[in-house]
Amino acid sequence: MNEWVKGGIEISSAIGAVWAAVAARKSASVSSKQLEHQIVQQEKIDLPRLVPLNTFIQTEVLKMNSDWKKIDSSLINNNVETEQTSVKELKLKEKFSSYPLSLINTGKMFALDVKYNYVLEGGRDSINEYLFDDIKLKVLDPEKGQLESDEFEFLFYQDYKGYNGNRTIDNQIITVKPYTRYIPIIKSEEKVELLIPSYFVLLSNIYIKSNWIHQRNSLKRPQLILTIIYTDQFYQVHTLEYRMTLSLKQIRTRGFESEYIETWVDFELIKAEINNKPT
């Protein structure tokens, strides 16, 4: 009888040991999966993420094809007139404005081989033929524009009275094209300059004048699609798309002649993808 009891105890101990081993293995498997999940989640947190910052624009626009430039805010706050603080006009360059915005890497890893470009949302249809007072916009070669909606040219024409009282005519052919800019590396928490297309500044100047100073709704608010592509340290390719637009939350000007403008340029994330880099 004692041998039966002893045998039963030994069998129970063996079964218990087996179940303990199974439980330990299962626990180790769960812990391993949890650890792998935590590592994956941490890697996602550490991945580089490039974010264009919403930017407050405070500038003086002497003519519609004048570039934006930073000015001393005390001149505006103290109501100093333009005639008392003559500022030399900064004319728009062919491709990009001299007024940079900021792009920051909010991740913990480097962003490598960064490239970005802009596309005018709506293409040539966002401009159409526009005529308001002394300003004229007209898309050139519309047949070509239908084939290449992201690339086209339009004529800017302005007839205005100069400071000497004489009539002056400005006309310029503006090219809309998704030029690509390159940045070799953006480190964690680093800010770099993000150039914006000259045509966006021109269309924004006209939009503010016609829609806000004169309460006309003839011109659509200019909107761009900013595409940013870069790789991380795991050779994954990141593609981000932001909608860039002139904000409606704060647009203020000081009359018609002084042309001080205060507004915001806002960004909205509309697409984010990560893919393995092709070999």
Side-chain angles (χ1 to χ4, degrees):
M1 184 70 178
N2 290 336
E3 292 180 358
W4 280 98
V5 172
K6 183 178 179 181
I9 293 174
E10 290 177 351
I11 292 173
S12 298
S13 298
I15 293 173
V18 170
W19 279 111
V22 171
R25 180 176 294 181
K26 185 176 181 180
S27 176
S29 176
V30 171
S31 298
S32 177
K33 289 181 179 179
Q34 288 178 340
L35 179 59
E36 290 177 1
H37 178 73
Q38 291 175 357
I39 292 174
V40 170
Q41 292 302 311
Q42 188 61 46
E43 286 179 351
K44 288 182 178 180
I45 294 173
D46 293 344
L47 287 176
R49 188 168 66 129
L50 302 185
V51 180
L53 301 181
N54 293 351
T55 304
F56 178 58
I57 306 295
Q58 188 178 55
T59 185
E60 182 180 37
V61 178
L62 301 180
K63 294 188 295 185
M64 292 304 99
N65 60 339
S66 295
D67 199 358
W68 291 343
K69 55 184 174 180
K70 296 181 180 180
I71 58 176
D72 186 352
S73 60
S74 64
L75 301 181
I76 297 177
N77 296 334
N78 295 328
N79 294 321
V80 178
E81 295 296 332
T82 305
E83 289 76 15
Q84 295 174 301
T85 57
S86 178
V87 181
K88 185 178 179 181
E89 177 201 359
L90 183 61
K91 191 167 184 178
L92 276 170
K93 297 179 181 178
E94 178 183 355
K95 296 180 181 179
F96 294 98
S97 167
S98 300
Y99 199 109
L101 307 183
S102 293
L103 179 70
I104 185 171
N105 180 5
T106 60
K108 294 184 179 180
M109 296 182 180
F110 295 170
L112 306 169
D113 300 325
V114 182
K115 55 184 177 182
Y116 67 90
N117 62 52
Y118 301 88
V119 172
L120 179 62
E121 195 166 23
R124 57 189 296 275
D125 293 335
S126 66
I127 295 179
N128 294 323
E129 188 162 341
Y130 176 76
L131 180 62
F132 170 68
D133 287 354
D134 56 353
I135 298 173
K136 179 179 180 180
L137 297 180
K138 184 176 182 180
V139 175
L140 303 177
D141 199 357
E143 293 183 359
K144 182 180 179 181
Q146 291 176 355
L147 298 175
E148 302 175 1
S149 58
D150 293 340
E151 298 184 20
F152 62 95
E153 294 179 333
F154 66 91
L155 172 68
F156 164 75
Y157 172 93
Q158 182 178 18
D159 182 358
Y160 64 96
K161 184 182 290 186
Y163 292 111
N164 56 8
N166 297 328
R167 302 298 298 182
T168 304
I169 294 176
D170 261 352
N171 61 80
Q172 184 176 354
I173 294 178
I174 307 296
T175 300
V176 177
K177 185 176 180 179
Y179 298 106
T180 300
R181 300 278 303 178
Y182 297 91
I183 304 171
I185 184 173
I186 304 179
K187 300 176 183 178
S188 175
E189 300 301 324
E190 182 183 9
K191 286 184 182 179
V192 298
E193 289 188 348
L194 189 68
L195 300 185
I196 57 178
S198 294
Y199 64 79
F200 178 79
V201 173
L202 171 66
L203 295 176
S204 296
N205 290 344
I206 298 174
Y207 175 83
I208 291 172
K209 178 177 179 180
S210 63
N211 288 49
W212 289 88
I213 297 180
H214 296 287
Q215 300 299 308
R216 301 289 183 89
N217 296 314
S218 304
L219 187 67
K220 296 179 182 179
R221 184 161 52 120
Q223 296 187 135
L224 305 182
I225 300 299
L226 166 63
T227 301
I228 306 173
I229 301 175
Y230 57 95
T231 58
D232 59 33
Q233 291 164 256
F234 299 109
Y235 301 102
Q236 298 178 115
V237 180
H238 299 244
T239 302
L240 302 176
E241 287 187 3
Y242 291 89
R243 177 172 286 110
M244 171 181 165
T245 184
L246 199 67
S247 176
L248 294 178
K249 64 187 175 186
Q250 180 180 351
I251 295 184
R252 185 175 66 178
T253 63
R254 289 189 63 248
F256 178 80
E257 295 297 336
S258 56
E259 299 294 354
Y260 285 124
I261 293 176
E262 295 183 2
T263 186
W264 285 80
V265 171
D266 288 347
F267 293 91
E268 174 194 3
L269 180 64
I270 57 176
K271 178 182 177 182
E273 289 183 354
I274 302 178
N275 297 294
N276 293 326
K277 190 172 183 179
T279 57

